Amino acid sequence: MKRGLLVNLSLSLVVSVVFLAALEGLARLVEKGRPPDGERQVADYIWNWDAKMPGGFYVMRSEAVGWPPYQKFNGDGVRDRTRSREKPEGFWRVAILGDSVTLGSDLHPREAYPQLMEARLGAEGRRIDVMNVALWGWSTRQERIAWHRIARGYDPDQAILAVCLNDIPELHNNLTRPPGWVIWLHRHSALVRLLVDAEGREIESVERLFESPDDPRVQEALDRFFEEIRALRDEVEADGADFSVIVFPFRFQLEEGAPSPVVQERIVAFCEEEDLA
């Protein structure tokens, strides 16, 4: 009886393997024009966190106590001058949370807009302390982590979230990424690629947000983004600080024939509903 059971199990296993092999062969015949690595080509400004920042967050390694450019990064690992934990008396301290735009990529540190804000308002006699808490590739999730790990320790009076639109597809693509074993199978199996439908799940560029604003994946991406803003807002306000949002145009929106700013309009509508500045 045991022998018969083993024979049946063996036959079932063989049939299953043959069946899956046949499906894999059929899937390879059906599959056309996929990139050599079997993955969708996503714009290089939309980071894969596993590849770019294992653990989902990073800062620059630094033991600096000074100010860029003499020391490029401060002791917190961001490109800002070293600040005292205790606010100077009578000063309003602002923490701007952002990415390479806020950091001032390809600019002298003093030309980044948080530093310009601090310098110009200071020249007007305003007692203000503006922290630049930003790094390349940070999205809203990393900026929320940066509030916890860096900014809140300086007791800011205000947090400003600086949004670039690549944050929206980046959050979506990373937070919906399947487990590692599925990714491995996806690379090696046409059948898995067919079933997973990565192209139908990912958002490959910011342009997609404008071209297909009613696409369910675009709406899902916006919903995820809004949840991150709500969570950060709640945490900032629980720490006793004000919260507001800056939204930048994306590069193609500055060109002739740019599409209607539907994404910014949705963010504005969200902020109005949430009573956010």
Side-chain angles (χ1 to χ4, degrees), residues 110-258:
R110 287 193 294 269
E111 295 175 321
Y113 75 82
Q115 278 82 357
L116 289 175
M117 179 189 296
E118 183 177 65
R120 291 181 183 179
L121 292 173
E124 294 173 5
R126 305 279 291 276
R127 303 180 67 146
I128 191 164
D129 194 41
V130 183
M131 299 173 61
N132 188 334
V133 186
L135 282 176
W136 299 271
W138 277 6
S139 76
T140 318
R141 171 60 60 90
Q142 287 74 40
E143 289 146 14
R144 183 151 71 94
I145 296 171
W147 171 261
H148 279 279
R149 298 189 184 180
I150 300 172
R152 73 189 305 187
Y154 290 86
D155 191 24
D157 299 288
Q158 182 176 11
I160 298 177
L161 176 67
V163 175
C164 289
L165 296 186
N166 54 293
D167 292 357
I168 298 168
E170 186 167 304
L171 277 168
H172 175 77
N173 290 1
N174 281 281
L175 296 181
T176 59
R177 194 175 302 281
W181 63 273
V182 175
I183 293 173
W184 185 89
L185 287 173
H186 187 273
R187 290 196 181 110
H188 295 86
S189 169
L191 178 59
V192 172
R193 287 190 290 275
L194 189 63
L195 293 174
V196 169
D197 185 26
E199 291 192 3
R201 294 158 59 99
E202 291 184 322
I203 299 175
E204 77 285 359
S205 67
V206 169
E207 284 87 344
R208 175 68 61 191
L209 305 177
F210 292 83
E211 294 165 359
S212 308
D214 297 322
D215 187 321
R217 61 184 162 172
V218 170
Q219 187 56 57
E220 183 182 352
L222 283 166
D223 289 343
R224 289 180 184 278
F225 170 65
F226 294 151
E227 278 303 310
E228 287 293 318
I229 294 181
R230 285 192 192 97
L232 177 56
R233 183 267 316 275
D234 291 347
E235 292 161 9
V236 167
E237 292 182 350
D239 289 330
D242 294 339
F243 180 74
S244 52
V245 179
I246 296 173
V247 184
F248 295 107
F250 208 70
R251 59 191 70 155
F252 62 82
Q253 291 187 277
L254 304 180
E255 298 173 355
E256 187 176 351

